[in-house]
């Protein structure tokens, strides 16, 4: 990831929907099974709803049964960054966009082969760009 995207809180508020602002900038979590991508199987590229950076491929999306879009690997090694996060639910690992810092979700060590990890991502933090011709 080359360029970092930096905006003021007011700019983010102006550009994002209220729900996207709460998730991306205030680390909220959308309710399970309410997001638009949790059951999506369409082929394409999932980009950051905040800055457009390429975050995940539909090739690594799977049905985790959790009600959130789940991926076993980011689109590239430097697409996302993680941070340990102590909260009410104990220690979790937070995932954010490496480009704009927007909060995406969390990563858990219960994913499928081949990585064994589950990137549990809020639908509203993502924008699916369908593959050409699909
Ligand atoms: Fe971003």
């Amino acid at each position: 990831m080359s360029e970092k995207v930096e905006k003021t809180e007011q700019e983010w508020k102006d550009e994002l929907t209220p729900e996207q602002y709460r998730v991306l900038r205030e680390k909220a979590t959308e309710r399970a099974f309410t997001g638009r991508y949790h059951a999506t199987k369409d082929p394409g590229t999932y980009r950051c709803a905040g800055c457009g950076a390429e975050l995940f491929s539909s090739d690594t999306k799977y049905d985790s049964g959790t009600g959130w879009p789940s991926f076993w690997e980011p689109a590239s090694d430097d697409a996302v960054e993680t941070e340990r996060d102590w909260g009410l639910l104990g220690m979790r690992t937070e995932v954010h966009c490496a480009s704009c810092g927007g909060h995406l979700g969390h990563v858990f060590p219960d994913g499928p082969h081949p990585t064994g990890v589950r990137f549990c991502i809020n639908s509203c933090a993502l924008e699916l760009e369908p593959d050409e011709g699909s």
Side-chain angles (χ1 to χ4, degrees), residues 82-118:
T82 60
E83 190 174 324
R84 305 267 266 172
D85 159 3
W86 271 111
L88 292 172
L89 301 173
M91 176 66 87
R92 294 190 299 175
T93 302
E94 188 261 352
V95 182
H96 55 263
C97 172
S99 178
C100 72
H103 171 75
L104 304 172
H106 291 84
V107 61
F108 300 96
D110 59 8
H113 183 80
T115 59
V117 293
R118 167 172 59 101

Side-chain angles (χ1 to χ4, degrees), residues 30-35 38 66-68:
E30 68 193 9
R31 285 172 53 219
F33 299 100
T34 64
H38 75 87
T66 59
W68 290 282

Side-chain angles (χ1 to χ4, degrees), residues 16 20-27 48-50 101-104 125:
L16 300 172
Q20 286 174 329
Y21 184 85
R22 280 195 294 277
V23 170
L24 287 164
R25 309 310 308 175
E26 300 182 329
K27 303 190 179 187
C48 176
H103 171 75
L104 304 172

Side-chain angles (χ1 to χ4, degrees), residues 15-84:
E15 291 176 19
L16 300 172
T17 68
E19 187 188 27
Q20 286 174 329
Y21 184 85
R22 280 195 294 277
V23 170
L24 287 164
R25 309 310 308 175
E26 300 182 329
K27 303 190 179 187
T29 299
E30 68 193 9
R31 285 172 53 219
F33 299 100
T34 64
R36 60 178 170 163
Y37 294 134
H38 75 87
T40 302
K41 294 193 169 78
D42 299 345
T45 299
Y46 286 89
R47 294 183 175 276
C48 176
C51 73
E54 185 174 346
L55 298 179
F56 297 97
S57 163
S58 60
D59 293 343
T60 67
K61 190 175 189 290
Y62 71 103
D63 184 2
S64 65
T66 59
W68 290 282
S70 300
F71 304 85
W72 47 262
E73 190 176 62
S76 64
D77 286 344
D78 55 5
V80 302
E81 294 172 343
T82 60
E83 190 174 324
R84 305 267 266 172

